[in-house]
Amino acid sequence: SRLSGGQGRRAKRATMAHPPPPGGSWPPPPPLYQGAHQQRGPPLPPAPAQGQQQVFRRPPPPQFGAAGPAPPFGAPRPAPAPGPPPGPAPARPQAPLHPSANPNAANARSAAPRINPAQMPRPKQEPRARQLQVFETRNYNSGTGAGTNGLAASEPQYDDRLMRGNILSSSASIPPPPTSSRFVVKDLGNCSPRFLRSTYYQVPVTKDVRRTCEMPFAVVCQPLAPGDPMDTNGGKVCVVDASKEGPVRCSQCKAYVNPFVRWLDGGRRFQCNLCGSMNECPPWYFCNLGPNGTRRDQYDRPELQFGSVEYEAGEQYKVRPPQRPSCVFLIDCSAQAVESGTTHRICEAILKVFEGEGEVAPGRVGIATFGRTIEYISMKPGQSCPQITVVPDVESPYAPVPSSLLLDAQRDRKELSAILRFVMQMHSFAGATGKGQAAYRSQESCATAAIHSCGKVIERTGGKVVAFVASLTNLGEGSEENGELQTKKAENSLVRMIWPKGDTYRKVAEELAESQVCVDVFCFNRTTSSHLDIARLRLFPECSGGSFVGYTEFDGSQSGNGDHKRLVHDLRHNLTREQGHEALLRVRASAGLEVEEYRGNFLVRTSTDVDLAGVDADKTVVAYVKHEEKLKESQECSFQCALLYTTSRGQRRIRVHTLSLPVTSVLGSVYRSADLDAQMHAILRQEVHRFPLRKMQPLQVREAATAQCVNILYAYRRYCATASSTGQLILPEALKLMPLYMLAFNKMKPLQQKCEPDVRAALVAKVSAIPMQDLLPTLFPRLVALHKLANLPSDQLGGEIQPELLSCSSECMEDDACLLLLEESVGYVWVGLGVYPPVLEKLFGVSTFEMIQKKLDKTLVGYRDEQGERDGDDPCLCFRAVAALCPGKCVRLKFVARGSMAETKMLAKLIEDRTQNGMSYVEYLCHIHRKIQNKFL
């Protein structure tokens, strides 16, 4: 085989020193990559028939040390004797590349023929993963802590809860399914992985073991995450009334009672599973113990039965009387926003949310606009015309009387609709083009002062400000910093735009957070080159626990298009999802462990607590853990996340999630129990946080992420796969996709040298609090073969379809192919010139490219209008495939024409190809393997 670079020179020197035997040649070398993901042991059972649930039970993983590559769970260890070297891979026909594709992508694959592309790990959708999987959070039949945690398998209630024969994973040491898979959670003591995920599910016994594995030790918390209707208790968290006596807690560490406490002395005392201290049981909570040492009423108390529970808080947890929070919608009415049509699309989106069915979260609502001044528009019940209150001082903004500005969100919907229509009529297109009011010709905007003023309006009750920003702040509070930045032409000006020195934005954001006011920012970029100073605007949601939503190239010219529907969907989701206010979060760990730091959108007051002016179902907080002392390997360590918050209905609640994990001293067990989703969250959250903090260049961020991946794989190669040849790349089973996701992270547009500052700042704002299930789809797009759906028999198209996933490469772009490149919320449809019209008719419902483009522009798959009718319910296979791959999501589909600029953007998103943004997947694996070999030298 042909070698390149240093490998070829070393092979030549080795041939000269040791010539081959006469009349023969050396046997071919072993393959460079020998993935631990390859199946070993007996074959898998046959896939079940359609409509049946997948049965897959794994026993507890065996303990092993550094004796070779880690086998999959439950598979027997392969024999140490090496087999015969594999022969050369059969020649594979070269697929024709698209004319617009980069030809270097194909040359890069042929440069390293020792890597078989078919063996490289990819996020393939296996047949068994398409079935419904059941994940049990604990297994008490294997003898792991049945007496310690207080749940016994012999109880009849346990047998009723347990779905026998449909178990995906039943041991606390086995990581949960990935967030992208379909699974149902049965809460048997540990909380659902939708709420808490650990980076590994077997905790190292000492800090030396943790440092050796090089993996971060963290717990990813999403305390208000939505559940599945098939989960335990219908996906809802059980509520316990503790308003009178208060929840039972440990007197030493203040941990809440949970299924893992140990009851002693006939139930009169209990031992805390976190700190180990003994506590007296309150008289009103006393209950006798059964023969197995468990309380007789444990199945009547959710806090002793489930890993997630919610308490109704008493007076001791209330700083002020709880009340329903308020909400102020701040609409950008500057000339730039009105001319582009963004102002009208915003008003229409708010109208559709309030005119639709269902209840929105806020209790009282106010409407405000900003341009040169701040204007509050109110309307009392019974009035025929709205009233305008103007705040002319934008240097030191103040708040008018709140009682005259806020309306009830449910009772006064008619008045709110009249106010929004009045805003649309007042800020018409004629006023911006010079045919009407001349006041709107100027490009002045006081967005920062308007957000500050709206926060003061609701500071007495708390709540949130939903700010729609489509113009740069150049007037009033915060404008002086933008002016200084535009005049400076230093080399690091772009870096300073990512992490600004401006104290005005941060000061205002912290002031609003201390007043329990949360800020959600919706940014609208008309073009990719327009600048909105997102680097400073993101400080509002970052400090107050809010959300950031960005729209690039937003088309506000007409109503009802894909961008307008996306705005309506995002705003409805923002107002109807589960959310809380005046929140306080703390993560407690067992004795010997300590939470080192937190990462997320919150205000830092103390090192132990996280202050959140607002928290919602999509908010995540990463708690990084460190070892203080050596743990006991015979016991388990526990983590408990407690969230004190006020619901949207004004009720004070305490939500508690508990997770108990085994302790191990075997490094291989730590790698086998690693959770890739949590690992990527912990690593990327750190790197993105350091990006602006240390004023790092994009190249430094990419190198730091790659170095972290190399260190993890080198530690596994050195300590857990010593029996394999050093010329092979060995990947742990649980982390086999980490190089691919790291390559996708390095190829992101915000991490390239030529990139707009707002795009980089938007990455920091998005990753800082991204939900668990959205991170990996954001990094790595999925390439779907739509044309293969048209060849399926009709009996396989009746129910939910599962399209085939392809390698994310331009090799799949053949003339007879119809492909869908699916990102988190955007899909790119590419159609080859050789696709027949009947196939297009079956996939899209139309047969011409022009009609396909018009249909995609007006459709948002997964969108529901105000009457509850779903957009994209067309029976065409394309929309059904998108709905199957992105359940519960709204996806905007874009048609990619041959030779267009959209095709160039699509080709740049093909992660496995070599592009201007980075190397190919094969080259990246070789690059990582070379760095690992250099560490051995």
mmCIF file of all heavy atoms in Angstrom, residues 571-598:
data_model
loop_
_atom_site.group_PDB
_atom_site.id
_atom_site.type_symbol
_atom_site.label_atom_id
_atom_site.label_comp_id
_atom_site.label_asym_id
_atom_site.label_seq_id
_atom_site.Cartn_x
_atom_site.Cartn_y
_atom_site.Cartn_z
ATOM 1 N N LEU A 571 -41.587 31.359 20.126
ATOM 2 C CA LEU A 571 -42.212 32.198 21.143
ATOM 3 C C LEU A 571 -43.259 31.418 21.930
ATOM 4 O O LEU A 571 -43.350 31.559 23.161
ATOM 5 C CB LEU A 571 -42.838 33.427 20.488
ATOM 6 C CG LEU A 571 -43.472 34.448 21.440
ATOM 7 C CD1 LEU A 571 -42.451 34.971 22.434
ATOM 8 C CD2 LEU A 571 -44.098 35.587 20.662
ATOM 9 N N ARG A 572 -44.054 30.586 21.251
ATOM 10 C CA ARG A 572 -45.036 29.769 21.960
ATOM 11 C C ARG A 572 -44.344 28.785 22.906
ATOM 12 O O ARG A 572 -44.795 28.555 24.032
ATOM 13 C CB ARG A 572 -45.914 29.019 20.954
ATOM 14 C CG ARG A 572 -46.995 28.173 21.630
ATOM 15 C CD ARG A 572 -47.799 27.369 20.638
ATOM 16 N NE ARG A 572 -48.635 28.223 19.803
ATOM 17 C CZ ARG A 572 -48.492 28.350 18.499
ATOM 18 N NH1 ARG A 572 -47.546 27.681 17.877
ATOM 19 N NH2 ARG A 572 -49.281 29.144 17.811
ATOM 20 N N HIS A 573 -43.258 28.188 22.449
ATOM 21 C CA HIS A 573 -42.514 27.273 23.312
ATOM 22 C C HIS A 573 -41.918 28.012 24.505
ATOM 23 O O HIS A 573 -41.882 27.475 25.619
ATOM 24 C CB HIS A 573 -41.414 26.589 22.500
ATOM 25 C CG HIS A 573 -40.514 25.707 23.314
ATOM 26 N ND1 HIS A 573 -40.925 24.512 23.855
ATOM 27 C CD2 HIS A 573 -39.209 25.868 23.704
ATOM 28 C CE1 HIS A 573 -39.929 23.955 24.521
ATOM 29 N NE2 HIS A 573 -38.883 24.757 24.445
ATOM 30 N N ASN A 574 -41.461 29.222 24.294
ATOM 31 C CA ASN A 574 -40.882 30.003 25.378
ATOM 32 C C ASN A 574 -41.901 30.318 26.461
ATOM 33 O O ASN A 574 -41.564 30.363 27.658
ATOM 34 C CB ASN A 574 -40.278 31.291 24.805
ATOM 35 C CG ASN A 574 -39.588 32.145 25.842
ATOM 36 O OD1 ASN A 574 -40.241 32.825 26.634
ATOM 37 N ND2 ASN A 574 -38.274 32.124 25.847
ATOM 38 N N LEU A 575 -43.150 30.522 26.093
ATOM 39 C CA LEU A 575 -44.168 30.943 27.055
ATOM 40 C C LEU A 575 -44.957 29.784 27.650
ATOM 41 O O LEU A 575 -45.566 29.946 28.709
ATOM 42 C CB LEU A 575 -45.137 31.926 26.390
ATOM 43 C CG LEU A 575 -44.529 33.229 25.877
ATOM 44 C CD1 LEU A 575 -45.581 34.071 25.183
ATOM 45 C CD2 LEU A 575 -43.890 34.017 27.006
ATOM 46 N N THR A 576 -44.993 28.641 26.993
ATOM 47 C CA THR A 576 -45.812 27.526 27.477
ATOM 48 C C THR A 576 -45.007 26.417 28.138
ATOM 49 O O THR A 576 -45.594 25.530 28.760
ATOM 50 C CB THR A 576 -46.606 26.920 26.315
ATOM 51 O OG1 THR A 576 -45.704 26.507 25.275
ATOM 52 C CG2 THR A 576 -47.590 27.944 25.746
ATOM 53 N N ARG A 577 -43.680 26.406 28.012
ATOM 54 C CA ARG A 577 -42.895 25.361 28.653
ATOM 55 C C ARG A 577 -42.889 25.554 30.160
ATOM 56 O O ARG A 577 -43.186 26.650 30.673
ATOM 57 C CB ARG A 577 -41.457 25.397 28.127
ATOM 58 C CG ARG A 577 -40.728 26.701 28.438
ATOM 59 C CD ARG A 577 -39.383 26.780 27.764
ATOM 60 N NE ARG A 577 -38.768 28.096 27.942
ATOM 61 C CZ ARG A 577 -37.619 28.462 27.381
ATOM 62 N NH1 ARG A 577 -36.969 27.623 26.600
ATOM 63 N NH2 ARG A 577 -37.128 29.672 27.591
ATOM 64 N N GLU A 578 -42.531 24.488 30.873
ATOM 65 C CA GLU A 578 -42.459 24.585 32.321
ATOM 66 C C GLU A 578 -41.294 25.489 32.713
ATOM 67 O O GLU A 578 -40.166 25.302 32.247
ATOM 68 C CB GLU A 578 -42.281 23.199 32.942
ATOM 69 C CG GLU A 578 -42.327 23.199 34.447
ATOM 70 C CD GLU A 578 -42.263 21.805 35.035
ATOM 71 O OE1 GLU A 578 -42.095 20.846 34.261
ATOM 72 O OE2 GLU A 578 -42.364 21.671 36.272
ATOM 73 N N GLN A 579 -41.568 26.447 33.577
ATOM 74 C CA GLN A 579 -40.544 27.400 33.974
ATOM 75 C C GLN A 579 -40.803 27.879 35.387
ATOM 76 O O GLN A 579 -41.909 27.769 35.909
ATOM 77 C CB GLN A 579 -40.485 28.574 33.003
ATOM 78 C CG GLN A 579 -41.824 29.243 32.729
ATOM 79 C CD GLN A 579 -41.738 30.219 31.581
ATOM 80 O OE1 GLN A 579 -40.911 31.115 31.575
ATOM 81 N NE2 GLN A 579 -42.617 30.051 30.600
ATOM 82 N N GLY A 580 -39.760 28.403 35.990
ATOM 83 C CA GLY A 580 -39.842 28.914 37.352
ATOM 84 C C GLY A 580 -39.072 30.207 37.493
ATOM 85 O O GLY A 580 -38.303 30.609 36.603
ATOM 86 N N HIS A 581 -39.293 30.861 38.626
ATOM 87 C CA HIS A 581 -38.664 32.158 38.895
ATOM 88 C C HIS A 581 -38.177 32.168 40.346
ATOM 89 O O HIS A 581 -38.588 31.348 41.176
ATOM 90 C CB HIS A 581 -39.657 33.295 38.650
ATOM 91 C CG HIS A 581 -40.216 33.321 37.257
ATOM 92 N ND1 HIS A 581 -39.626 34.004 36.227
ATOM 93 C CD2 HIS A 581 -41.321 32.737 36.723
ATOM 94 C CE1 HIS A 581 -40.326 33.849 35.127
ATOM 95 N NE2 HIS A 581 -41.362 33.086 35.397
ATOM 96 N N GLU A 582 -37.286 33.128 40.619
ATOM 97 C CA GLU A 582 -36.697 33.258 41.960
ATOM 98 C C GLU A 582 -36.148 31.912 42.426
ATOM 99 O O GLU A 582 -36.479 31.412 43.494
ATOM 100 C CB GLU A 582 -37.722 33.791 42.953
ATOM 101 C CG GLU A 582 -38.270 35.159 42.601
ATOM 102 C CD GLU A 582 -39.189 35.700 43.686
ATOM 103 O OE1 GLU A 582 -38.921 35.419 44.875
ATOM 104 O OE2 GLU A 582 -40.161 36.377 43.361
ATOM 105 N N ALA A 583 -35.287 31.314 41.598
ATOM 106 C CA ALA A 583 -34.811 29.955 41.832
ATOM 107 C C ALA A 583 -33.439 29.975 42.497
ATOM 108 O O ALA A 583 -32.649 30.911 42.342
ATOM 109 C CB ALA A 583 -34.750 29.171 40.525
ATOM 110 N N LEU A 584 -33.188 28.895 43.242
ATOM 111 C CA LEU A 584 -31.903 28.665 43.900
ATOM 112 C C LEU A 584 -31.572 27.195 43.744
ATOM 113 O O LEU A 584 -32.367 26.331 44.131
ATOM 114 C CB LEU A 584 -31.967 29.039 45.380
ATOM 115 C CG LEU A 584 -30.653 28.974 46.159
ATOM 116 C CD1 LEU A 584 -29.685 30.046 45.689
ATOM 117 C CD2 LEU A 584 -30.914 29.130 47.658
ATOM 118 N N LEU A 585 -30.429 26.901 43.152
ATOM 119 C CA LEU A 585 -30.032 25.518 42.866
ATOM 120 C C LEU A 585 -28.749 25.181 43.589
ATOM 121 O O LEU A 585 -27.823 26.004 43.658
ATOM 122 C CB LEU A 585 -29.873 25.317 41.358
ATOM 123 C CG LEU A 585 -29.528 23.913 40.862
ATOM 124 C CD1 LEU A 585 -30.275 23.604 39.570
ATOM 125 C CD2 LEU A 585 -28.018 23.748 40.611
ATOM 126 N N ARG A 586 -28.686 23.950 44.113
ATOM 127 C CA ARG A 586 -27.470 23.445 44.756
ATOM 128 C C ARG A 586 -27.345 21.963 44.459
ATOM 129 O O ARG A 586 -28.325 21.222 44.504
ATOM 130 C CB ARG A 586 -27.487 23.679 46.256
ATOM 131 C CG ARG A 586 -26.306 23.019 46.986
ATOM 132 C CD ARG A 586 -26.318 23.227 48.477
ATOM 133 N NE ARG A 586 -26.020 24.608 48.827
ATOM 134 C CZ ARG A 586 -25.777 25.010 50.080
ATOM 135 N NH1 ARG A 586 -25.832 24.141 51.083
ATOM 136 N NH2 ARG A 586 -25.517 26.282 50.326
ATOM 137 N N VAL A 587 -26.126 21.531 44.163
ATOM 138 C CA VAL A 587 -25.804 20.123 43.947
ATOM 139 C C VAL A 587 -24.940 19.663 45.103
ATOM 140 O O VAL A 587 -23.861 20.215 45.350
ATOM 141 C CB VAL A 587 -25.079 19.910 42.604
ATOM 142 C CG1 VAL A 587 -24.698 18.444 42.431
ATOM 143 C CG2 VAL A 587 -25.964 20.358 41.442
ATOM 144 N N ARG A 588 -25.413 18.666 45.828
ATOM 145 C CA ARG A 588 -24.677 18.090 46.946
ATOM 146 C C ARG A 588 -24.079 16.757 46.531
ATOM 147 O O ARG A 588 -24.669 16.027 45.733
ATOM 148 C CB ARG A 588 -25.590 17.893 48.164
ATOM 149 C CG ARG A 588 -26.135 19.190 48.740
ATOM 150 C CD ARG A 588 -27.064 18.927 49.910
ATOM 151 N NE ARG A 588 -27.494 20.157 50.559
ATOM 152 C CZ ARG A 588 -28.532 20.882 50.208
ATOM 153 N NH1 ARG A 588 -29.294 20.475 49.190
ATOM 154 N NH2 ARG A 588 -28.853 21.984 50.844
ATOM 155 N N ALA A 589 -22.932 16.436 47.086
ATOM 156 C CA ALA A 589 -22.227 15.196 46.778
ATOM 157 C C ALA A 589 -21.863 14.486 48.071
ATOM 158 O O ALA A 589 -21.884 15.071 49.161
ATOM 159 C CB ALA A 589 -20.968 15.465 45.948
ATOM 160 N N SER A 590 -21.534 13.205 47.960
ATOM 161 C CA SER A 590 -21.186 12.396 49.124
ATOM 162 C C SER A 590 -19.907 12.884 49.768
ATOM 163 O O SER A 590 -19.134 13.664 49.187
ATOM 164 C CB SER A 590 -21.040 10.924 48.715
ATOM 165 O OG SER A 590 -22.258 10.396 48.281
ATOM 166 N N ALA A 591 -19.674 12.417 50.992
ATOM 167 C CA ALA A 591 -18.451 12.762 51.707
ATOM 168 C C ALA A 591 -17.248 12.262 50.918
ATOM 169 O O ALA A 591 -17.219 11.121 50.456
ATOM 170 C CB ALA A 591 -18.476 12.143 53.107
ATOM 171 N N GLY A 592 -16.263 13.113 50.757
ATOM 172 C CA GLY A 592 -15.100 12.814 49.940
ATOM 173 C C GLY A 592 -15.149 13.457 48.576
ATOM 174 O O GLY A 592 -14.127 13.501 47.880
ATOM 175 N N LEU A 593 -16.320 13.955 48.176
ATOM 176 C CA LEU A 593 -16.488 14.663 46.916
ATOM 177 C C LEU A 593 -17.009 16.060 47.187
ATOM 178 O O LEU A 593 -17.712 16.288 48.171
ATOM 179 C CB LEU A 593 -17.460 13.923 45.990
ATOM 180 C CG LEU A 593 -17.089 12.502 45.580
ATOM 181 C CD1 LEU A 593 -18.194 11.882 44.757
ATOM 182 C CD2 LEU A 593 -15.768 12.467 44.822
ATOM 183 N N GLU A 594 -16.693 16.975 46.305
ATOM 184 C CA GLU A 594 -17.124 18.358 46.461
ATOM 185 C C GLU A 594 -17.321 18.979 45.090
ATOM 186 O O GLU A 594 -16.547 18.734 44.155
ATOM 187 C CB GLU A 594 -16.090 19.171 47.246
ATOM 188 C CG GLU A 594 -16.501 20.611 47.513
ATOM 189 C CD GLU A 594 -15.434 21.405 48.239
ATOM 190 O OE1 GLU A 594 -14.390 20.811 48.570
ATOM 191 O OE2 GLU A 594 -15.637 22.605 48.457
ATOM 192 N N VAL A 595 -18.377 19.762 44.973
ATOM 193 C CA VAL A 595 -18.627 20.485 43.727
ATOM 194 C C VAL A 595 -17.646 21.642 43.627
ATOM 195 O O VAL A 595 -17.611 22.536 44.479
ATOM 196 C CB VAL A 595 -20.081 20.982 43.671
ATOM 197 C CG1 VAL A 595 -20.312 21.808 42.413
ATOM 198 C CG2 VAL A 595 -21.047 19.809 43.716
ATOM 199 N N GLU A 596 -16.857 21.624 42.589
ATOM 200 C CA GLU A 596 -15.797 22.623 42.420
ATOM 201 C C GLU A 596 -16.312 23.916 41.819
ATOM 202 O O GLU A 596 -15.976 25.009 42.287
ATOM 203 C CB GLU A 596 -14.692 22.030 41.557
ATOM 204 C CG GLU A 596 -13.460 22.907 41.426
ATOM 205 C CD GLU A 596 -12.368 22.228 40.625
ATOM 206 O OE1 GLU A 596 -12.639 21.173 40.032
ATOM 207 O OE2 GLU A 596 -11.246 22.763 40.583
ATOM 208 N N GLU A 597 -17.110 23.827 40.759
ATOM 209 C CA GLU A 597 -17.624 25.009 40.091
ATOM 210 C C GLU A 597 -18.842 24.627 39.264
ATOM 211 O O GLU A 597 -19.104 23.442 39.004
ATOM 212 C CB GLU A 597 -16.559 25.652 39.192
ATOM 213 C CG GLU A 597 -16.032 24.734 38.103
ATOM 214 C CD GLU A 597 -14.992 25.405 37.246
ATOM 215 O OE1 GLU A 597 -14.816 26.629 37.392
ATOM 216 O OE2 GLU A 597 -14.362 24.714 36.417
ATOM 217 N N TYR A 598 -19.590 25.655 38.845
ATOM 218 C CA TYR A 598 -20.775 25.483 38.016
ATOM 219 C C TYR A 598 -20.569 26.228 36.703
ATOM 220 O O TYR A 598 -19.839 27.219 36.639
ATOM 221 C CB TYR A 598 -22.032 26.030 38.707
ATOM 222 C CG TYR A 598 -22.423 25.309 39.980
ATOM 223 C CD1 TYR A 598 -21.973 25.761 41.222
ATOM 224 C CD2 TYR A 598 -23.262 24.202 39.958
ATOM 225 C CE1 TYR A 598 -22.343 25.126 42.391
ATOM 226 C CE2 TYR A 598 -23.648 23.561 41.122
ATOM 227 C CZ TYR A 598 -23.180 24.020 42.336
ATOM 228 O OH TYR A 598 -23.559 23.386 43.494
#
